[in-house]
Amino acid sequence: GQRGPAGGAPMAENPMRQIRVAKLILNISVGEAGDRTTKAAKVLEQLTGQVPVFGRARYTVRSFSIRRGEKISCKVTVRGDKAMQLIEAGLKVKEFELLRRNFSDTGCFGFGIEEHIDLGIKYDPSTGIYGMDFFVVLERPGCRVARRKRAQGRVGSKHRVTKEDAMKWFQTTFEGVIAEKSQAELY
């Protein structure tokens, strides 16, 4: 592989080069205000043990019957081991298979599930069924330099996570499969 500076150890063995999950964002976009959004928030809270935040409508759309400023979705950001467990649960529903287009150029990836009960939550008729989006942000150690308040720097191009890196990480970590086309498109 690529050798480190001054012909040292190979780049891959450097602990600062290892890719890790920065965060996982779970989002349920209900598309309407009121009871369903509150129930969706309960589902996320049940799943993560954290209090979700609500997303608001940016402008009024008559055909969707939403008004500007109404709460129409809820999301929650999970980090650490909890994030890994949830990613694994979500990928199990997808049978550890993603598409090439699930991965972004910045080394993040996302996928959706149709029914939250697939994650192992018991079905409750009063709540109903919700689909949700999973979005996983990957990074290497040292990305704090770009986010901190004082002495801010930039993450160099060699240290950023690329699409290929993310796909390789997914295949090695979860023994996942990356398909070119989804099953639905093949028929």
Side-chain angles (χ1 to χ4, degrees):
Q2 213 176 1
R3 294 197 81 72
M11 289 274 252
E13 287 160 26
N14 184 341
M16 291 297 276
R17 297 282 301 163
Q18 278 158 11
I19 294 176
R20 62 185 182 191
V21 172
K23 58 185 172 181
L24 159 72
I25 298 116
L26 293 177
N27 173 44
I28 300 181
S29 40
V30 183
E32 57 183 84
D35 208 23
R36 265 181 68 78
T37 313
T38 323
K39 283 177 178 168
K42 281 212 181 76
V43 168
L44 284 183
E45 198 166 344
Q46 223 178 337
L47 204 58
T48 60
Q50 290 169 225
V51 181
V53 291
F54 290 99
R56 292 172 180 277
R58 278 190 287 190
Y59 24 70
T60 304
V61 182
R62 290 288 292 279
S63 54
F64 296 160
S65 64
I66 55 167
R67 289 200 298 279
R68 182 162 178 247
E70 271 186 339
K71 295 175 176 177
I72 55 168
S73 74
C74 56
K75 59 189 176 205
V76 66
T77 302
V78 193
R79 297 171 196 268
D81 295 337
K82 191 76 187 258
M84 280 307 273
Q85 286 165 10
L86 286 167
I87 294 167
E88 193 151 357
L91 285 169
K92 203 172 274 170
V93 178
K94 301 296 266 181
E95 292 169 353
F96 296 98
E97 190 172 309
L98 293 179
L99 300 176
R100 214 188 139 79
R101 66 160 185 246
N102 285 115
F103 293 84
S104 78
D105 294 334
T106 50
C108 306
F109 66 94
F111 57 93
I113 62 167
E114 308 262 319
E115 301 184 348
H116 73 272
I117 49 173
D118 292 340
L119 296 169
I121 293 182
K122 231 170 125 319
Y123 173 63
D124 177 8
S126 65
T127 312
I129 282 185
Y130 291 94
M132 62 178 73
D133 306 320
F134 282 69
F135 194 71
V136 183
V137 179
L138 300 177
E139 66 173 15
R140 289 193 166 103
C143 288
R144 180 174 173 269
V145 297
R147 290 196 211 107
R148 63 191 177 191
K149 179 98 173 118
R150 194 187 155 275
Q152 228 177 29
R154 282 168 63 179
V155 177
S157 59
K158 289 244 189 317
H159 200 65
R160 288 191 197 127
V161 182
T162 63
K163 187 172 185 164
E164 305 307 320
D165 288 339
M167 283 159 59
K168 200 168 160 191
W169 177 87
F170 166 67
Q171 283 165 323
T172 51
T173 312
F174 295 108
E175 292 167 5
V177 182
I178 293 171
E180 287 297 323
K181 285 267 196 292
S182 70
Q183 292 310 104
E185 287 170 39
L186 296 174
Y187 299 118

